[in-house]
Amino acid sequence: METTGAEPETTQRTGAALSPLDLTGTVHHDGHGGVADELATVTGFLAWAPPGTPGGLRDEVIDVRRAVRTLFAYATGREDSRADPSLSRAQALDLLNHYAGRERVTVRLDWADPDATPLLGLTAADPSGLPTQLACSAVEFLAGPQRERLRACPAPRCVRYFVQDHGRQTYCKTSCANRARAARHYARNR
């Protein structure tokens, strides 16, 4: 039996941190055999981005998305996907590291009790905006344990990536599992 993960959010974000999967999910099957891009227009970008995000960041966010989708494609063996950009792995790494490198970190000393050991604290000092936050999030994701569970949805026409929640999860969402079952049924009965 095939199982799926939860349906992805399609509503406007509320300011919570966006994940690399949120970003890559802005490119998806359009329901008519093509690919839809939620960031294709400034209006679409502003509907997707956290409230207050300037529309002028759209091109930079799309750059980060190109890099992340390319690296996800390499991580899942899906380099030939028509929905993923034609960047090389090295170009994608350079682009992602360029945006992630714009984050500034401050060092502070925490020493509330004079008898205790002082602690070193590191904090992000006003990151350079959404593109930097998305790039840093993608770096953490790709360098972390979730990358091992990253999958490309194998359903016909699907171009989404997802993190496998359990060993039997095959598709990104229920509609993809249904589309795959229908395609197999059609092929058997043709």
Side-chain angles (χ1 to χ4, degrees):
M1 179 176 170
E2 299 155 339
T3 57
T4 64
E7 296 283 331
E9 259 188 14
T10 57
T11 58
Q12 183 173 8
R13 309 302 189 250
T14 59
L18 295 170
S19 77
L21 292 170
D22 291 327
L23 180 60
T24 61
T26 61
V27 173
H28 52 86
H29 181 280
D30 69 358
H32 304 289
V35 176
D37 181 354
E38 293 178 29
L39 308 183
T41 65
V42 173
T43 303
F45 170 72
L46 292 174
W48 174 83
T53 301
L57 294 177
R58 180 179 155 265
D59 290 341
E60 291 183 359
V61 169
I62 289 172
D63 275 350
V64 173
R65 182 183 65 186
R66 288 177 56 222
V68 174
R69 285 192 65 89
T70 297
L71 294 173
F72 277 18
Y74 279 97
T76 60
R78 188 176 173 164
E79 297 92 348
D80 59 349
S81 170
R82 65 188 170 99
D84 293 315
S86 58
L87 294 175
S88 72
R89 188 170 168 268
Q91 290 170 320
L93 284 169
D94 287 345
L95 194 56
L96 188 63
N97 286 331
H98 165 75
Y99 285 105
R102 294 187 339 188
E103 179 160 78
R104 298 180 308 248
V105 176
T106 61
V107 179
R108 76 171 187 281
L109 186 63
D110 293 324
W111 198 2
D113 181 356
D115 296 327
T117 304
L119 300 173
L120 171 67
L122 300 174
T123 58
D126 187 28
S128 303
L130 185 59
T132 300
Q133 293 170 9
L134 290 167
C136 289
S137 177
V139 167
E140 290 173 16
F141 179 91
L142 288 164
Q146 283 192 318
R147 186 193 80 246
E148 296 298 321
R149 297 185 353 247
L150 179 67
R151 302 289 185 266
C153 184
R157 300 181 308 274
C158 187
V159 295
R160 290 187 188 264
Y161 295 97
F162 67 98
V163 173
Q164 188 178 36
D165 291 327
H166 52 81
R168 294 179 60 188
Q169 182 182 1
T170 306
Y171 300 97
C172 67
K173 51 188 192 165
T174 306
S175 59
C176 283
N178 291 340
R179 195 167 50 253
R181 274 193 290 278
R184 284 193 307 271
H185 175 76
Y186 177 77
R188 276 193 310 266
N189 295 315
R190 188 166 19 149

